[in-house]
Each structure stands twice: as C-alpha cells, then as structure tokens.
Amino acid sequence: QVQLVESGGGVVQAGDSLRLACTVSGRTLSTYAMAWFRQAPGKEREFVTYISRSTGFTYYTDSVKGRFTISRDNAKNTVYLQMNSLKPEDTAVYYCAAKETGWVVVRTRSSDYDYWGQGTQVTVSS
C-alpha cells in the first residue's frame, strides 16, 4: 500500500517562505513522477508543479514560476516544495500526488495521478 504524507504547512505572512515535504512509503519514490496540487476554498484543485521520475525535469504553473521550486530526494523517499515570496493568493490546501510511469510527460490533471496525500494547509496573510 503506497502512502503519501505531506508536512510543513502553516500560517505565514506575505513575502515569507515555507518548505513542504511529501514522504512516500510502501514503494520507492523513484518509481513515480510527482506533482503538487493545491485547492483554495470554493475552488477546484489546481496543478502547481511536476517533477519527473528520474531526470529531474520540472514544470510549473505560471503563477508560481520563479517563486516555487520542486525537488526530490529519492534516497529519503521525499519530495519537497520550496515556496518563496508567498502571496495571499497562495493560500490553499497543498496536496502531493504520485504517478507510476517511465515516461517524462508533464501531467497537469489530477485524474492522471494514482496516489494522493491528505494535504497540508498553507495560509498566507497580507
């Protein structure tokens, strides 16, 4: 049974930074391409960023480019999301997601992913 557990959320002020972590158990992280999504109150879940399984290829939605960085440490079975220069509009529950694949294909739809974490709340005050 594959499990994803997010951590690192919290309440910060605009301009601050946070680092989220997503730890995978049950199988090795290197099996999966990974992504972060977020869902704000009253809104649909939206794609944030993607990292490929082995090459480290990354892709970001426009609203976070230059501010967020996704990375992975396969030895620790953990994916990170470094969030800098946070804005109030970044407030959401952040979810990590895993896709078992051998291909480097950017997938931005939540339905493309096989496994999900429970989410961690990020609140950015102005």
Side-chain angles (χ1 to χ4, degrees), residues 79-101:
V79 175
Y80 302 98
L81 181 63
Q82 178 67 43
M83 305 186 294
N84 298 329
S85 302
L86 283 161
K87 304 176 181 180
E89 52 264 43
D90 295 318
T91 295
V93 177
Y94 283 71
Y95 299 89
C96 65
K99 170 68 176 177
E100 186 171 353
T101 178

Side-chain angles (χ1 to χ4, degrees), residues 51-109:
I51 188 165
S52 65
R53 190 185 81 169
S54 57
T55 67
F57 176 83
T58 59
Y59 180 83
Y60 300 89
T61 194
D62 286 346
S63 61
V64 307
K65 282 180 183 176
R67 300 189 298 122
F68 289 12
T69 303
I70 188 171
S71 62
R72 63 192 296 155
D73 185 337
N74 286 344
K76 294 183 177 180
N77 264 17
T78 301
V79 175
Y80 302 98
L81 181 63
Q82 178 67 43
M83 305 186 294
N84 298 329
S85 302
L86 283 161
K87 304 176 181 180
E89 52 264 43
D90 295 318
T91 295
V93 177
Y94 283 71
Y95 299 89
C96 65
K99 170 68 176 177
E100 186 171 353
T101 178
W103 298 96
V104 180
V105 176
V106 177
R107 303 179 190 273
T108 62
R109 300 180 304 178

Side-chain angles (χ1 to χ4, degrees), residues 28-64:
T28 58
L29 179 65
S30 60
T31 304
Y32 304 104
M34 301 294 295
W36 287 93
F37 286 75
R38 65 186 180 185
Q39 188 166 17
K43 295 188 176 181
E44 293 186 353
R45 191 170 298 188
E46 66 169 349
F47 169 82
V48 177
T49 181
Y50 161 96
I51 188 165
S52 65
R53 190 185 81 169
S54 57
T55 67
F57 176 83
T58 59
Y59 180 83
Y60 300 89
T61 194
D62 286 346
S63 61
V64 307

